[in-house]
């Protein structure tokens, strides 16, 4: 291949003339003579071209695969592999013909570790790939590499800290110590000093919530909307800073806009611009509703933007930032002797740390599905990444104990279930597992109606379900949960304690298995619990948004006055 053609193609690529690049490559080049670097470039052109088809995507993945195979030990080969993984995963949903590319990508990644195991882009693609494959052991291995010094990327490190919540081998002490170390990788921004901002101009207490998830019926929206709806507007002025893509047809965004005093679309703001806006609006209490779910945007909280900065709702663990003053919990989540293992000061709401808005659909009490189906159905609609090996083993024991039973699973994320099913197969219960695809239940009503098939829901551990448990209880479906050892692993316990049905909280795994098995046999007791839930759960702190908002407002009104007094 002549240098002239290579330069011509590179020049056309820079000019974004992707279709012409593709035509030249098809007309003048053979697959054998295309080098790894050019193979990557042609593959990207096929992804970026106008009127792209799934055939173009498949062809692009072939070029990325060839780039890896031709340049295995080079940066061009690594780029081919990382493109194969990231772009393959991006288009895999609904396109099963692309699966073979990801299967081969796993083999290539394991080969590539010999050459690229210290490369951050390579490691990041590995986390993506093995997360999709639900290979928790490989994810742990890559996370440990990153956290043990291979990477200085705050984004990669934060992602790994988030991932560690899925595994029981990390104690809260590990979370705390690594969060402190991780915080040093975040930068501070240029900010006005607090004393330079005239908060006396505020007629009310200006509070602001920052999130990248104010959209598309994200679970966050169901916890925040009634909280801000019922906050005392005579005391508080509420500002929402949305980092989600602006969409005038998005129901969640329109509803939240109507409930807040001010709404700001900040997706296109860089962090410095976002900080400037928050300080311009004289926000006195600023809530992070992201945590490590969005490390890039979380970085604004490394600076002192507002007098009071709080972590709430999105990430149920410590962030390690000395500039985040408080984390909102309750008496069930963090014990007094554990407070030293959180960098934030613990503030506790009287009953529960969050309250769900519920749904507008009409509720109806349903008899146990097993009476009609002639089979006892357990269920979990949690993110499959939360199904730890310990959870698989516990659920397998339950299914073995209950002869005429099945377990329905539906993930909140798109993933490959092959490895998960192999774990159940090893325990001899694969035939009792039914997996429902998320894309068949995209409407909230369809998702909730699936609970009508469930006799008893089973929570995951150590990473508990939160939204899924609230939803199950709203539908009148009892959920067995396991006591945990930190904020994140006690969420299920806090939710169930607030129903008043303590029997559903198991002190250990052995008892978790026992209680689930016994309830499947004692239909009378289970039906009594189901009826109690249906009749009373909406009046509990779980769904009493007005009571929650009052407690929330009282807490922060007190903190505001305390801070103001201390300042004076």
């Amino acid at each position: 291949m002549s240098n002239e053609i290579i330069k011509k193609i590179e020049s056309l690529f820079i000019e974004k003339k992707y279709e012409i690049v593709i035509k030249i490559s098809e007309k003048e080049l053979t697959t054998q003579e295309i080098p790894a670097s050019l193979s990557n470039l042609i593959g990207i052109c096929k992804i970026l071209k106008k009127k792209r088809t799934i055939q173009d995507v498949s062809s692009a993945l072939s070029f990325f695969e060839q780039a890896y195979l031709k340049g295995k030990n080079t940066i061009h080969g690594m780029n081919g592999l990382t493109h194969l993984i990231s772009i393959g995963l991006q288009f895999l949903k609904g396109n099963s013909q692309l699966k073979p590319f990801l299967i081969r990508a796993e083999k290539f990644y394991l080969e590539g570790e010999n050459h690229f195991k210290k490369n951050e882009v390579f490691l990041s693609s590995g986390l993506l790939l093995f997360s999709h494959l639900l290979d928790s052991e490989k994810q742990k291995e890559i996370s440990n590499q990153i956290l043990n010094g291979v990477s200085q990327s705050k984004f990669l490190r934060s992602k790994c800290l988030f991932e560690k919540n899925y595994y029981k081998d990390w104690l809260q002490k590990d979370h705390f110590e690594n969060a402190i170390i991780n915080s040093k990788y975040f930068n501070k921004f240029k900010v006005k000093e607090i004393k330079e901002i005239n908060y006396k101009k505020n007629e009310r207490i200006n509070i602001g919530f920052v999130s990248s998830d104010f959209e598309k019926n994200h679970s966050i929206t169901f916890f925040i909307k009634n909280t801000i709806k019922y906050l005392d507007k005579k005391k508080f002025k509420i500002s929402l800073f949305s980092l989600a893509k602006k969409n005038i047809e998005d129901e969640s965004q329109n509803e939240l806009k109507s409930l807040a005093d001010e709404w700001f679309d900040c997706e296109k703001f860089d962090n410095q611009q976002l900080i400037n806006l928050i300080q311009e609006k004289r926000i006195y209490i600023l809530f992070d509703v992201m945590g490590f779910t969005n490390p890039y945007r979380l970085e604004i909280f490394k600076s002192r933007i507002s007098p009071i900065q709080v972590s709430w709702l999105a990430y149920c663990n410590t962030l390690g930032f000395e500039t985040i003053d408080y984390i909102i919990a309750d008496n069930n989540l963090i014990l007094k002797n554990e407070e030293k293992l959180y960098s934030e000061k613990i503030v506790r709401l009287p009953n529960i740390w969050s309250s769900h808005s519920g749904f507008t659909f009409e509720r109806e009490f349903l008899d146990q599905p097993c009476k009609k189906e002639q089979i006892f159905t357990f269920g979990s609609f949690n993110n499959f990444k939360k199904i730890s090996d310990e959870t698989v083993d516990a659920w397998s024991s339950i299914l073995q104990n209950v002869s005429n039973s099945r377990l329905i699973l539906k993930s909140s994320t798109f993933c490959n279930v092959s490895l998960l099913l192999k774990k159940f197969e090893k325990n001899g219960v694969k035939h009792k597992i039914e997996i429902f695809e998320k894309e068949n239940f995209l409407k909230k009503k369809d998702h909730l109606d699936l609970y009508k098939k469930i006799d008893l829901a089973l929570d995951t551990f150590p990473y508990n379900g939160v939204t899924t448990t609230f939803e199950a209880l709203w539908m009148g479906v009892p959920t067995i949960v396991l006591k945990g050892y930190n904020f994140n692993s006690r969420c299920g316990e806090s939710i169930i304690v607030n129903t008043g049905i303590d029997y559903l909280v198991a002190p250990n795994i052995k008892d978790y298995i026992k209680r689930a098995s016994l309830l499947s046999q004692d239909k009378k007791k289970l039906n009594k619990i189901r009826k109690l839930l249906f009749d009373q759960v909406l009046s509990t702190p779980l769904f009493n948004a007005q009571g929650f908002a009052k407690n929330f407002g009282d807490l922060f009104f007190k903190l505001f006055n305390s801070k103001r007094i201390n300042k004076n």
Side-chain angles (χ1 to χ4, degrees), residues 376-503:
F376 192 91
T377 304
F378 299 99
S380 173
F381 302 160
N382 282 324
N383 174 354
F384 283 0
K385 288 178 67 175
K386 294 183 179 182
I387 305 177
S388 63
D389 289 348
E390 297 78 24
T391 302
V392 168
D393 289 343
W395 290 354
S396 297
S397 295
I398 293 166
L399 291 171
Q400 289 166 350
N401 290 345
V402 184
S403 56
N404 189 30
S405 65
R406 63 176 175 172
L407 171 61
I408 291 179
L409 302 177
K410 182 179 79 69
S411 182
S412 58
T413 58
F414 179 64
C415 53
N416 186 313
V417 299
S418 299
L419 187 58
L420 177 63
L421 286 174
K422 283 180 182 177
K423 293 177 182 179
F424 284 110
E425 184 176 27
K426 182 181 176 183
N427 291 337
V429 294
K430 180 185 173 184
H431 63 289
K432 292 191 169 193
I433 307 298
E434 294 185 23
I435 292 180
F436 286 66
E437 299 294 337
K438 176 186 176 181
E439 51 261 40
N440 296 327
F441 300 90
L442 295 179
K443 292 181 179 179
K444 182 61 73 173
K445 181 69 163 58
D446 293 338
H447 163 70
L448 292 172
D449 281 346
L450 191 52
Y451 280 105
K452 294 177 181 179
K453 293 180 175 289
I454 308 302
D455 291 289
L456 180 64
L458 301 175
D459 194 20
T460 49
F461 51 86
Y463 200 137
N464 299 160
V466 175
T467 299
T468 48
T469 304
F470 274 94
E471 290 173 343
L473 298 174
W474 190 88
M475 289 295 292
V477 178
T479 304
I480 292 282
V481 304
L482 180 69
K483 276 182 174 287
Y485 53 87
N486 65 357
F487 188 154
N488 189 68
S489 63
R490 291 189 183 120
C491 289
E493 177 182 355
S494 184
I495 294 167
I496 296 300
V497 164
N498 275 278
T499 68
I501 309 174
D502 292 349
Y503 181 80

Side-chain angles (χ1 to χ4, degrees), residues 215-242:
E215 63 171 349
K216 299 176 182 176
N217 277 332
H218 189 282
S219 58
I220 289 293
T221 65
F222 288 94
F223 291 98
I224 199 168
K225 62 184 180 182
N226 276 5
T227 300
I228 62 175
K229 177 180 180 179
Y230 293 115
L231 274 175
D232 188 344
K233 302 302 192 297
K234 293 179 181 178
K235 290 180 181 177
F236 298 102
K237 180 181 178 182
I238 301 165
S239 298
L240 300 183
F241 299 89
S242 174

Side-chain angles (χ1 to χ4, degrees), residues 536-559:
Q536 299 182 12
V537 76
L538 295 193
S539 61
T540 69
L542 301 182
F543 298 100
N544 180 5
Q546 286 179 278
F548 178 83
K550 184 183 185 305
N551 291 333
F552 192 94
D554 289 347
L555 172 62
F556 285 98
F557 187 72
K558 182 179 178 181
L559 288 175

Side-chain angles (χ1 to χ4, degrees), residues 359-365 445 449 452 474-475 534:
F359 307 97
T360 56
F361 313 118
E362 185 177 348
R363 298 172 77 231
E364 58 175 320
F365 177 73
K445 181 69 163 58
D449 281 346
K452 294 177 181 179
W474 190 88
M475 289 295 292
F534 183 81

